[in-house]
Amino acid sequence: MNFKKTWLIVGTFALGFSLVGSAVSAETYSEKNADIQIKSGDIQFYNVLPGKSAEVKEKALIEHKDAINLVENQLNKDTIAIKTDLDNVEYQKYVLSLGTSFELFSAEDMKKIVEYVKFIDWYENYELNVQLKTYQNKLKNNITLSNAELTELNGLLPIPSDAPSTAPSTANSETNFDSFATDEVSPLAVSANGYDNIAARDYAYSWWNKRNPTYSTYYAEKAGCNVANSSCWSQWNDCTNFVSQAIYAGGMKFRTGSHVTADDAWRFGPLMPTHTWGGAQNFYKHWSQRAGVASSVTALQTGDAVNADFGADGHVDHTAIITKNTGNNNNNKFLTQHTTDKKETSTLQDWFSAGYSVYGYEMDKASNTGN
């Protein structure tokens, strides 16, 4: 299925994750005025595929039969007990996690996976529209939203259709799954804003196939499993949490912001990590303002963070970090990530070849004053 973007709206928010070991209460955030003004008329809705959701689902089960079989086979290989159910959030998450698994499939099979990933990305929009409609009805009925509700609603709002994204380099127009040069060209220095891209890279190297219990214990407990057990790690999406850890290790300072769910906040703790710490869409909203979006891949280097929007529907789905840079082209930017865990098995060329929208952040240009 081919997807053509005709913009309406997009966005979602990550759950806030409670932390232990601080005397600061969750009310510390909610007492601050988020100062967000949203009217019912400001709320638009996600684009959805033609037809009612039940019809779309039935059609997809036929059109994406090969991809569905590939997903089922991978679930069995990963010994994950999730049945094929397009309405199951856990199944949706797993399918989306395969959107960057270029090394697991042949080029032909990966094309099928990518199209199915894009379908799931759009299929999720039915449920997101329900959330938006709930907020819209409250506003139409003159119900005053709390600061927490306003900031959550703001997290659901779209990335504007004219928002800048990161353009690919002009070279490497063909998919290249074996472009693995070895010479590092990124500068190995602490930037003027205090960001140490090599410290960020080294953190990613240290934890790419593990979970740091300092940042992961709550996620595991929320999922009802033990973080010490690697079989637990697939129970939550950890891509953005992992990249936040890496760039924090590189020296990016916490921002308390106006609320735990607000775009201007980015921190882990003292009681609750902000939504921007662990949610891909929220991460985009914070760092696109704090660092700006790189206009071209050529500007990105080791230690820079990147987001991907699989379905180009305006909703950011994934976060990774560049840990090796061997030149100015797409296939010189090697990625390390969680969910699923990978160290430099793909490059930005793979993302562009798949048709994903890319948002890259030059961390050395980010504002780095804490508050």
Side-chain angles (χ1 to χ4, degrees), residues 8 38 61 100 188 214-215 225 253 268 350 369:
L8 279 179
I38 301 175
L61 291 172
T100 56
L188 309 182
T214 299
Y215 302 99
C225 56
K253 295 178 181 178
F268 191 82
D350 298 319
T369 56

Side-chain angles (χ1 to χ4, degrees), residues 138-139 141-147 149-150:
K138 287 184 177 182
L139 292 171
N141 292 323
N142 296 318
I143 297 174
T144 301
L145 300 183
S146 68
N147 285 336
E149 287 177 316
L150 282 169

Side-chain angles (χ1 to χ4, degrees), residues 107 111 168-179 329-331 347-354:
K111 289 179 181 178
S169 63
T170 55
N172 314 119
S173 59
E174 298 296 325
T175 302
N176 185 349
F177 291 95
D178 298 309
S179 56
N329 296 323
N330 308 324
N331 66 352
T347 69
L348 284 179
Q349 177 62 40
D350 298 319
W351 288 15
F352 285 115
S353 294

Side-chain angles (χ1 to χ4, degrees), residues 159-166 284 288 292-295 358-359:
I159 299 172
S161 58
D162 60 351
S165 61
T166 300
Y284 159 83
S288 62
V293 175
S295 60
V358 176
Y359 304 91

Side-chain angles (χ1 to χ4, degrees), residues 292-308:
V293 175
S295 60
S296 172
V297 160
T298 59
L300 298 175
Q301 63 176 327
T302 296
D304 287 342
V306 286
N307 280 134

Side-chain angles (χ1 to χ4, degrees), residues 89-225:
V89 173
E90 296 306 314
Y91 178 77
Q92 293 173 353
K93 289 179 180 178
Y94 183 81
V95 172
L96 292 176
S97 76
L98 297 179
T100 56
S101 296
F102 302 97
E103 80 287 356
L104 295 181
F105 303 97
S106 68
E108 181 179 355
D109 285 346
M110 190 62 200
K111 289 179 181 178
K112 297 175 182 178
I113 290 291
V114 165
E115 289 305 307
Y116 189 43
V117 164
K118 291 178 180 179
F119 165 79
I120 291 294
D121 192 22
W122 278 58
Y123 187 73
E124 290 179 317
N125 293 349
Y126 289 104
E127 175 57 31
L128 291 173
N129 282 344
V130 171
Q131 298 177 43
L132 286 165
K133 187 64 175 178
T134 299
Y135 278 119
Q136 187 182 62
N137 287 340
K138 287 184 177 182
L139 292 171
K140 283 183 176 180
N141 292 323
N142 296 318
I143 297 174
T144 301
L145 300 183
S146 68
N147 285 336
E149 287 177 316
L150 282 169
T151 49
E152 285 184 343
L153 173 56
N154 186 55
L156 281 167
L157 293 176
I159 299 172
S161 58
D162 60 351
S165 61
T166 300
S169 63
T170 55
N172 314 119
S173 59
E174 298 296 325
T175 302
N176 185 349
F177 291 95
D178 298 309
S179 56
F180 295 100
T182 59
D183 295 330
E184 176 75 40
V185 299
S186 288
L188 309 182
V190 178
S191 303
N193 67 353
Y195 186 65
D196 186 337
N197 64 337
I198 301 308
R201 179 202 67 184
D202 290 348
Y203 183 94
Y205 280 172
S206 295
W207 291 99
W208 75 270
N209 62 346
K210 297 179 288 186
R211 295 295 182 273
N212 186 334
T214 299
Y215 302 99
S216 301
T217 297
Y218 175 82
Y219 297 74
E221 291 177 349
K222 186 75 173 178
C225 56

